[in-house]
Amino acid sequence: MSLQSFLQFLLLLLYISSINGFSVNPSAKESSSVIHFKMIHRHAPELLGEKKLTHYDRIQELLHADKLRMNILSHKRKLRATSSRRELQGDGTSFSFPLLSGESTGTASYYVPFRVGTPAQEFLLLVDTGSDLTWMNCRFRCNENNIGSHCSNPKDHNLTKRAFYPENSQTFRTVPCNSTLCQQGFLNLNSNPEMCPTPNSPCSYDYPYASTEVAQGVYAYESVTVKLNNGVEKQIPDMLIGCTREWNDSYGMGKADGIFGLGFNSHGFVSNIYKNFQGKFSYCLMDQYNTKNLSNYLTFGNRNPQEMPPNMQYAVLGTIGDHFGVTVEGIYVDGVKLNISDEVWNIEKGGGMMVDSGFSLTAWVPVAYDPIIAALENPLKGKFTSVKFEGFDSCFKVPQNNNNATMYESLVPKFEIQFLSGVRLKPAVRTYFIDVDDTGVKCFGFNRAPEGDASGSSISILGNIMQQNHMWEFDILGDRLGFAPSSCSLLA
């Protein structure tokens, strides 16, 4: 299907959805230019609290979470075909969420406080550009219309977790299971249309992660409260949310109450909000070793010019399923392009590289992983002692002293990724040659992505560690991904 045909299909879907009584876009125009969701560094005292994690503990939990996530993405990729984005116009408004890093809680992702319902109830959600459904822990009361759906009774309430109580909200509205949305429109969001005991029972979902059903609940439309850049609070009505009764805690969500999905499904948060906010969102991920109590923001709309680095570069932005991705033109080590087939990097041919805030390490397709590791580790042999470390293929013992950071970084080959349009990401050495314990062992922080699916396609993933120390702008209307080095300190 051509891009033009797909865009026409999505617009038709929006029309059908609206005449069935379900608005998938906010009906009101925003009155300000920016919305901020506060973003706090992962080592900030308010997140770290009394909990202390060694490098070893953190890395092992990170590897566990990444392994689960890789299974999730592989499973979803088998179920879904590549999709595109709608062509809609914005009116220049924007807003931001505070973004909280989750490293100190044993997860690799970043948190945002998220306010939903009328009056608003606040939750802490994991920011995930690789998920298309926004959901939170929820206690949906059972009644005669939803018996057999994913509802709960008061005796089932888990008081150890924060939960959304729909009966306390004036704007909560479930999606009937006999509706066109449930029977057809939400299939890509893993709706369960056969679970429909009565026509008005809520549409339910079994959101699969790998071979297990992690999130189970019902779909609803609700108001989300955000704070505009002028300090005024604004309610955005009719946002699709998932009211999740239970999930598999082995996913490693730490203190999170749910997922803030930033993927681009036609019913997701981003696709339903971006048209009113300049068609873009952005974030800046701070240095994982920065111990300062800094704040940052996940922003929808145009940031103030003084917040943006002056040297932004732009790559062509595409989609891989519901996820944002880019086509890679080449991998360079110390300025030399590695001999890797161009086909593995091309989105149009089933490859490409996903940009994923929920994944920690960067994963490479097998045909690229081996030459990348070889090119990086060979120059270090004889300079540092090779060691074995669980979960990594290439590790070295680096002598520890207070002044050796500049020295060892100068010995590590410079790694660069060139994207379609010729721009290059030049990550800091410490975001790909990472600490894995407290004794000076450092490893190349890459994973091997699974082999391709039945069609032979496979994808690489740009994880959030290599995204650190950069501003990232997802310009959806402009079909481009902007990035530039940044300390993120201007956004504190």
Side-chain angles (χ1 to χ4, degrees):
M1 181 182 294
S2 67
L3 176 60
Q4 182 177 5
S5 299
F6 189 80
L7 292 173
Q8 292 173 345
F9 168 75
L10 279 179
L11 290 174
L12 177 61
L13 177 62
L14 292 175
Y15 173 72
I16 293 174
S17 299
S18 65
I19 64 176
N20 277 279
F22 301 101
S23 171
V24 296
N25 283 292
S27 59
K29 297 292 184 180
E30 315 303 327
S31 60
S32 186
S33 59
V34 190
I35 305 178
H36 292 298
F37 287 70
K38 188 179 180 184
M39 175 172 130
I40 300 177
H41 187 265
R42 61 183 64 189
H43 288 155
E46 60 260 52
L47 276 184
L48 194 60
E50 298 298 322
K51 186 173 184 178
K52 303 295 182 182
L53 288 176
T54 66
H55 279 301
Y56 177 83
D57 293 335
R58 177 172 58 85
I59 289 296
Q60 292 305 312
E61 291 178 353
L62 177 153
L63 289 172
H64 174 70
D66 275 3
K67 182 179 180 180
L68 289 173
R69 184 164 181 78
M70 183 65 74
N71 291 336
I72 292 167
L73 295 176
S74 296
H75 181 73
K76 289 173 65 178
R77 185 166 169 78
K78 292 176 182 178
L79 295 177
R80 302 178 185 182
T82 300
S83 63
S84 297
R85 297 175 309 284
R86 293 174 297 178
E87 186 174 301
L88 298 171
Q89 298 301 314
D91 66 0
T93 58
S94 52
F95 64 96
S96 304
F97 287 97
L99 186 57
L100 316 180
S101 168
E103 179 186 18
S104 62
T105 67
T107 67
S109 299
Y110 294 79
Y111 292 149
V112 295
F114 191 84
R115 302 172 67 197
V116 62
T118 307
Q121 303 173 44
E122 184 169 315
F123 304 95
L124 203 59
L125 305 186
L126 284 178
V127 175
D128 190 355
T129 52
S131 291
D132 39 29
L133 178 65
T134 294
W135 60 265
M136 66 282 303
N137 184 30
C138 185
R139 292 295 175 257
F140 182 55
R141 190 181 298 277
C142 295
N143 57 45
E144 66 276 7
N145 287 326
N146 54 52
I147 296 300
S149 298
H150 291 303
C151 58
S152 61
N153 288 310
K155 65 180 181 180
D156 298 325
H157 291 183
N158 183 349
L159 299 180
T160 64
K161 289 185 177 293
R162 187 161 38 189
F164 178 63
Y165 289 85
E167 66 267 25
N168 296 335
S169 173
Q170 303 168 17
T171 47
F172 183 82
R173 176 166 59 95
T174 58
V175 178
C177 61
N178 69 339
S179 65
T180 301
L181 280 175
C182 185
Q183 297 294 320
Q184 300 178 24
F186 289 167
L187 291 180
N188 278 349
L189 290 174
N190 299 291
S191 64
N192 193 7
E194 65 272 14
M195 186 180 287
C196 194
T198 72
N200 290 323
S201 294
C203 181
S204 65
Y205 56 82
D206 295 322
Y207 206 82
Y209 289 89
S211 60
T212 62
E213 295 175 348
V214 172
Q216 300 177 335
V218 298
Y219 298 104
Y221 285 101
E222 246 307 3
S223 291
V224 173
T225 299
V226 299
K227 182 173 289 188
L228 303 176
N229 66 329
N230 59 5
V232 175
E233 289 192 347
K234 177 70 177 181
Q235 263 200 342
I236 303 175
D238 297 325
M239 297 302 300
L240 180 70
I241 65 166
C243 178
T244 294
R245 178 176 181 264
E246 62 181 52
W247 70 83
N248 185 346
D249 283 334
S250 66
Y251 182 48
M253 289 176 55
K255 295 180 179 178
D257 304 311
I259 297 289
F260 187 12
L262 294 181
F264 208 83
N265 183 281
S266 59
H267 300 285
F269 186 90
V270 172
S271 60
N272 290 310
I273 200 71
Y274 83 98
K275 77 182 188 74
N276 290 323
F277 298 96
Q278 291 282 339
K280 62 184 65 172
F281 69 91
S282 57
Y283 55 73
C284 192
L285 303 185
M286 289 163 284
D287 191 329
Q288 61 181 321
Y289 300 111
N290 193 328
T291 58
K292 295 180 180 179
N293 184 15
L294 297 178
S295 298
N296 211 319
Y297 296 90
L298 166 66
T299 295
F300 287 81
N302 277 332
R303 289 179 181 260
N304 294 327
Q306 62 268 28
E307 295 179 350
M308 299 298 291
N311 54 341
M312 292 287 288
Q313 302 183 85
Y314 292 92
V316 177
L317 180 65
T319 51
I320 301 173
D322 296 333
H323 310 145
F324 294 104
V326 289
T327 290
V328 176
E329 289 187 328
I331 301 297
Y332 292 78
V333 175
D334 280 341
V336 178
K337 185 178 181 180
L338 303 187
N339 185 20
I340 302 171
S341 171
D342 291 340
E343 289 192 1
V344 305
W345 306 127
N346 195 319
I347 290 180
E348 300 300 324
K349 296 183 178 180
M353 186 172 212
M354 185 187 303
V355 183
D356 190 350
S357 65
F359 206 85
S360 302
L361 303 181
T362 292
W364 302 102
V365 294
V367 70
Y369 178 85
D370 291 330
I372 288 173
I373 291 295
L376 288 170
E377 71 175 2
N378 286 340
L380 295 186
K381 293 179 178 178
K383 297 177 181 177
F384 301 129
T385 302
S386 295
V387 296
K388 298 291 185 181
F389 195 89
E390 182 182 357
F392 295 90
D393 292 330
S394 181
C395 301
F396 296 87
K397 183 65 177 291
V398 177
Q400 288 186 296
N401 64 67
N402 294 332
N403 300 314
N404 76 335
T406 302
M407 180 276 293
Y408 91 77
E409 289 187 5
S410 68
L411 297 176
V412 178
K414 298 301 181 289
F415 183 79
E416 299 172 87
I417 307 173
Q418 181 166 307
F419 300 121
L420 183 64
S421 71
V423 298
R424 291 190 189 183
L425 171 65
K426 301 178 181 181
V429 169
R430 60 182 175 272
T431 66
Y432 61 89
F433 192 53
I434 64 175
D435 290 312
V436 295
D437 70 5
D438 297 308
T439 69
V441 176
K442 298 179 184 293
C443 301
F444 286 108
F446 297 143
N447 277 327
R448 186 191 300 269
E451 296 289 344
D453 55 26
S455 66
S457 63
S458 184
I459 54 171
S460 298
I461 302 172
L462 181 64
N464 62 46
I465 291 180
M466 274 195 22
Q467 293 180 48
Q468 290 173 1
N469 300 306
H470 281 76
M471 171 70 73
W472 296 89
E473 181 182 74
F474 294 76
D475 185 351
I476 302 167
L477 288 179
D479 292 318
R480 62 182 192 168
L481 174 68
F483 61 94
S486 174
S487 66
C488 307
S489 59
L490 291 178
L491 313 174

